[in-house]
Amino acid sequence: MSADQTRIPLVDLAAAHAEVAVEVEAGIARVLATCAFVGGPDVAGFEAEFAAFTGVAHCVGVANGTDAIELALRALGVGAGAGVVMPANTFVATAEAAVRAGARPVLADVDEEFLLLDPQRAAEALAGPVESRALVPVHLNGQLAPMGALRALAEAREVFLVEDAAQCQGATQDGLGPGAWGPRGIAATSFYPGKNLGAYGDGGAVLTGDEGYDLALRELREHGSSRKYVHTRLGFNSRLDTIQAVVLRAKLRRLADWNVRRRAAAARYDALLGGVEGVRTPGTAPGNEHVWHLYAVRVPERDKVLALLNEAGIGAGVHYPVPVHLQPAFRELGYARGDFPVAERSADEILTLPLFPQITAAQQERVAEVLAGAVGGL
Ligand SMILES: *Cc1c(COP(=O)(O)O)cnc(C)c1O
C-alpha cells in the first residue's frame, strides 16, 4: 500500500461529493443551459428548504459566512462604535464582521468544559466600559452555546442576540436550532466547503423569524435595493450563487443522515479514546444535539503530538491556534495575554481529529492508535 492510501484526511470532500455527484451534475447542467447564474428558482428553493430544515421562517442566502454576520448586524442597525460581545476563541471572521459593520468586538472568555461563551463572562463584558448592542454566541465545533442563559441575558440587557452558526448546521438545543430563539431571532451561517453543509466555493445565509429583518437583509445583499434601480439604502453585492444553491440543495437532502453518521463517529472516538491517559475527549453540553463539525480533543504538548500525527499521514489540525485578542490584526482592541485564560490555555491544547460522515472504523482506530502512542511517548 502506498503512503497515500493510508493517509487519513481531516475532511474528505471527495467522499461527500460522490454521494451527490449525479444530482449536482444534473443541476449544474440545468443552470448552464439557462445561463441564469445569479438568483432564480434554485436560490429561492434552497432558501425555503433550509429555512424549513432549521425551523425558522426566513432564510436569506449571501456570498459567505463572514458577510452573513456583517449583514445580520447591519440589518439590526448595530454599528458605529457599538460593542458586540463575542467569545475570544472564535475564528477571526466573527470579529472581522463586527469591525466591518462599524462595531467593536468586546471579547469574553468561555467555560472550561465545552469552550462555549460563558454567560457569566458575557454579562461582565456587557457591563464593561464599551456600550454593547449585541451578544454573539459562537456555536463552536457543532454544538450550541448555552442559549437559554444567553437569551435571558440579552433580554435583560436589551441587546440583540446574533448567533454565529457557521459550524452547526442541523444542531439544536432543547429542540431549537439557530435563528429560532424568539420571534426576532437571527443567526448567520457559512457554507464554506468544509462545513457540515458545504458548497463548492463560498456561500452563507442568515436565518431569522422576523419579516422586517428578512426584507432588510434582502436589500443589503442586493445593492440596497428590493426593486430594480430603486436603492433605498447603501448595500452590498453579497448573493449566493445559483450553482452553489444547486449543490446545497442536493447536500441538504443528506445533511440529517450525514449528521447521524458524524455522531456515530464521535461516539466511536469517545469509546476508543475515553480511557487513554492524557487525552481529554470533548463533551456535549446539556440540552444539545451535537452535529460534530469538529472533534477536538485536548492533549499536553499539542504541537509535538500534532506533528507526530501529521508525520503518520493523519490530517489532524487546530481550530484555532491563536485567540482573536492575540491576533496582530486585532491589536488595537487593547487586550493582552492573560485576559482570557480559558481561551488561551485551550488554544495550546486543542487538537482536531479527522471526522466526516464517511470515515471508517478502521480509519478511526488508526487515528486513536497513533494518538495514544504519541501522547504515551511524551
Ligand atoms: C467558517 C466560519 C465563519 C466564516 O465563514 P466564511 O464563509 O468562511 O466567511 C465564521 N465564523 C465561524 C465560527 C466559522 O467557523
Side-chain angles (χ1 to χ4, degrees):
M1 223 193 249
S2 76
D4 205 44
Q5 281 169 297
T6 60
R7 248 196 96 248
I8 303 173
L10 186 65
V11 288
D12 190 342
L13 298 180
H17 176 64
E19 295 190 31
V20 292
V22 171
E23 246 167 277
V24 166
E25 279 157 25
I28 290 176
R30 207 174 57 237
V31 175
L32 296 185
T34 63
C35 289
F37 298 124
V38 173
D42 279 301
V43 172
F46 171 70
E47 288 176 338
E49 287 154 15
F50 193 58
F53 177 85
T54 316
V56 299
H58 309 278
C59 168
V60 182
V62 297
N64 56 70
T66 312
D67 281 10
I69 302 167
E70 178 185 353
L71 297 194
L73 291 169
R74 286 182 179 274
L76 301 170
V78 176
V84 173
V85 173
M86 62 181 68
N89 66 334
T90 183
F91 181 53
V92 288
T94 322
E96 224 170 41
V99 173
R100 279 184 5 189
R104 181 186 174 85
V106 175
L107 304 179
D109 214 346
V110 292
D111 76 89
E112 160 63 30
E113 194 174 356
F114 307 110
L115 307 179
L116 298 165
L117 183 59
D118 183 332
Q120 183 56 41
R121 299 282 98 82
E124 289 161 16
L126 284 172
V130 178
E131 194 175 326
S132 290
R133 295 200 54 220
L135 182 57
V136 180
V138 175
H139 302 326
L140 200 68
N141 295 353
Q143 68 175 331
L144 271 65
M147 289 299 289
L150 292 169
R151 177 170 64 175
L153 177 62
E155 281 169 4
R157 300 294 171 87
E158 296 182 348
V159 298
F160 294 108
L161 189 56
V162 182
E163 299 165 70
D164 180 339
Q167 301 193 354
C168 69
Q169 291 101 4
T172 59
Q173 184 171 99
D174 300 326
L176 295 179
W181 294 82
R184 311 205 74 192
I186 193 160
T189 196
S190 161
F191 306 123
Y192 183 76
K195 308 287 183 182
N196 284 33
L197 181 60
Y200 292 170
D202 283 304
V206 184
L207 295 156
T208 181
D210 187 90
E211 195 173 344
Y213 299 159
D214 175 69
L215 290 174
L217 289 159
R218 288 178 190 282
E219 286 188 356
L220 285 166
R221 75 170 174 184
E222 184 78 38
H223 304 291
S225 171
S226 52
R227 214 149 46 91
K228 202 162 189 174
Y229 303 129
V230 179
H231 303 272
T232 50
R233 63 166 91 212
L234 182 69
F236 301 83
N237 175 350
S238 182
R239 295 170 297 224
L240 178 67
D241 284 342
T242 310
I243 283 179
Q244 301 306 341
V246 163
V247 172
L248 292 168
R249 291 184 92 173
K251 287 194 167 183
L252 181 57
R253 287 186 205 107
R254 271 90 177 168
L255 183 59
D257 169 57
W258 283 347
N259 283 341
V260 167
R261 288 153 74 184
R262 284 177 181 273
R263 219 167 281 134
R268 189 179 290 122
Y269 272 142
D270 288 346
L272 289 166
L273 297 169
V276 177
E277 199 174 333
V279 177
R280 182 170 174 182
T281 55
T284 299
N288 272 346
E289 185 80 346
H290 203 313
V291 293
W292 299 102
H293 171 57
L294 299 173
Y295 188 93
V297 296
R298 280 183 270 178
V299 295
E301 296 189 54
R302 191 270 322 282
D303 289 340
K304 205 163 151 187
V305 175
L306 174 65
L308 288 168
L309 286 169
N310 290 163
E311 274 165 34
I314 293 167
V318 178
H319 303 85
Y320 300 92
V322 181
V324 172
H325 66 294
L326 301 179
Q327 291 287 356
F330 293 95
R331 200 179 288 140
E332 63 189 57
L333 294 179
Y335 295 110
R337 188 173 287 281
D339 284 348
F340 307 105
V342 182
E344 289 169 28
R345 199 174 339 108
S346 71
D348 293 335
E349 296 172 350
I350 48 175
L351 177 68
T352 308
L353 304 182
L355 190 146
F356 43 90
Q358 300 81 9
I359 197 167
T360 65
Q363 285 177 314
Q364 290 192 267
E365 281 156 18
R366 175 158 159 75
V367 172
E369 189 189 327
V370 174
L371 176 60
V375 173
L378 287 175

